[in-house]
């Protein structure tokens, strides 16, 4: 998933939206909660997060998994040189794109523990480890996000909580449309990847579903690519 650039006015988060998955074989809850987000220039407030998790606890008493998929950087910081990034722009990008996952994990931890363990998944991108044109400060944010994934996996593992990152290949989304030259990134992905294909939302969903399911119960701390093999090419 690509970062959400500053091409739209800031808008607030909506109320939590219920999501469902196939009924599990155990007694664990068959429902989870997620936030539906839109392009925004601020992270959700602590009050908003408190309200969301209070509602989850009131309705279900526990949580099986949470998926984090949000990012933001000012347009100039996204397309400009990293060395020109302002302190305010850097802090904003890190807060929305990286620390929001840490805050999510903090709030989710007690509810995941009540379920006997669970999973946290975030979305990252190859720009965390390779220099991608017009990705700017977001590459630094994704690198920090992946480091946070590893550290939180180590810290939460004793409670049976897994933490993973999914790294899809280029995918045309509303957010990606704000990255200059993104059509070229998609064309290169098709040409250079071993399988000569673009990832689809269904591919990303299938990998994420595996990671949060019991089938992925011993998978934690990793960055998992779904990009037709593009990441292995020199």
């Amino acid at each position: 998933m690509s970062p959400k650039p500053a091409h739209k006015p800031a808008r607030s988060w909506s109320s939590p939206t219920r999501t469902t998955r196939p009924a599990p074989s155990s007694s664990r809850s068959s429902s989870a909660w997620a936030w539906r987000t839109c392009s925004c220039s601020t992270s959700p407030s602590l009050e908003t997060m408190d309200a969301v998790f209070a509602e989850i606890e009131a309705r279900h008493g526990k949580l099986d998994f949470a998926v984090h998929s949000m990012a933001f950087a000012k347009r100039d910081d996204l397309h400009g040189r990293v060395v020109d990034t302002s302190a305010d722009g850097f802090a904003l990008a890190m807060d929305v794109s990286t620390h929001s996952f840490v805050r999510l994990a903090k709030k989710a931890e007690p509810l995941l523990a009540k379920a006997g363990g669970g999973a946290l998944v975030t979305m990252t991108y190859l720009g965390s480890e390779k220099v991608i044109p017009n990705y700017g400060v977001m590459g630094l944010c994704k690198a920090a996000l992946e480091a946070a994934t590893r550290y939180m996996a180590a810290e939460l593992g004793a409670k049976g909580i897994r933490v993973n990152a999914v790294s899809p290949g280029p995918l045309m989304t509303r957010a990606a449309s704000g990255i200059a030259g993104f059509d070229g990134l998609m064309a290169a992905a098709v040409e250079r990847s071993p399988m000569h294909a673009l990832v689809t939302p269904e591919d990303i969903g299938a990998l994420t579903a595996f990671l949060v399911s019991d089938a992925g119960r011993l998978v934690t701390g990793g960055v998992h690519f779904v990009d037709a093999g593009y990441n292995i090419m020199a």
Side-chain angles (χ1 to χ4, degrees), residues 143-206:
L145 183 67
E146 292 175 11
T149 296
R150 291 186 289 271
Y151 274 85
M152 292 194 297
E155 293 167 354
L156 300 176
K159 295 183 178 181
I161 300 171
R162 294 113 54 203
V163 188
N164 287 286
V166 170
S167 186
L171 175 70
M172 182 49 74
T173 62
R174 179 184 176 190
S177 66
I179 300 177
F182 196 77
D183 287 343
L185 285 177
M186 291 196 300
V190 173
E191 179 181 354
R192 299 187 60 231
S193 65
M195 301 183 74
H196 303 293
L198 286 174
V199 67
T200 68
E202 290 76 17
D203 297 325
I204 300 165

Side-chain angles (χ1 to χ4, degrees), residues 16-21 24 27-34 51-65 108 110-117:
T17 301
R18 186 174 181 179
T19 61
T20 59
R21 59 175 174 150
S27 61
R28 296 174 63 185
S29 169
S30 63
S31 63
W33 287 76
V52 168
F53 282 97
E55 187 170 356
I56 295 171
E57 185 168 23
R59 293 198 181 206
H60 302 286
K62 57 188 176 181
L63 182 68
D64 292 320
F65 65 90
L111 292 177
L112 292 167
K114 286 183 178 180

Side-chain angles (χ1 to χ4, degrees), residues 36-225:
R36 183 169 53 225
T37 64
C38 50
S39 293
C40 58
S41 61
T42 58
S43 289
S45 67
L46 290 176
E47 291 78 10
T48 299
M49 296 183 74
D50 286 342
V52 168
F53 282 97
E55 187 170 356
I56 295 171
E57 185 168 23
R59 293 198 181 206
H60 302 286
K62 57 188 176 181
L63 182 68
D64 292 320
F65 65 90
V67 176
H68 171 269
S69 183
M70 67 177 298
F72 178 88
K74 294 180 179 179
R75 182 181 295 274
D76 289 346
D77 295 330
L78 191 64
H79 295 163
R81 303 191 309 167
V82 169
V83 295
D84 295 327
T85 305
S86 67
D88 288 346
F90 185 89
L92 176 61
M94 281 288 182
D95 181 66
V96 178
S97 309
T98 304
H99 195 256
S100 60
F101 185 42
V102 177
R103 294 196 296 275
L104 173 65
K106 176 69 173 177
K107 294 295 183 182
E109 179 183 1
L111 292 177
L112 292 167
K114 286 183 178 180
L120 297 168
V121 179
T122 190
M123 298 293 148
T124 186
Y125 182 57
L126 185 61
S128 64
E129 59 182 80
K130 305 289 186 181
V131 176
I132 304 295
N134 300 308
Y135 205 58
V137 70
M138 189 54 61
L140 281 64
C141 294
K142 293 301 187 183
L145 183 67
E146 292 175 11
T149 296
R150 291 186 289 271
Y151 274 85
M152 292 194 297
E155 293 167 354
L156 300 176
K159 295 183 178 181
I161 300 171
R162 294 113 54 203
V163 188
N164 287 286
V166 170
S167 186
L171 175 70
M172 182 49 74
T173 62
R174 179 184 176 190
S177 66
I179 300 177
F182 196 77
D183 287 343
L185 285 177
M186 291 196 300
V190 173
E191 179 181 354
R192 299 187 60 231
S193 65
M195 301 183 74
H196 303 293
L198 286 174
V199 67
T200 68
E202 290 76 17
D203 297 325
I204 300 165
L207 176 55
T208 303
F210 164 75
L211 290 171
V212 304
S213 74
D214 290 339
R217 62 188 177 276
L218 292 182
V219 180
T220 193
V223 175
H224 307 279
F225 291 95

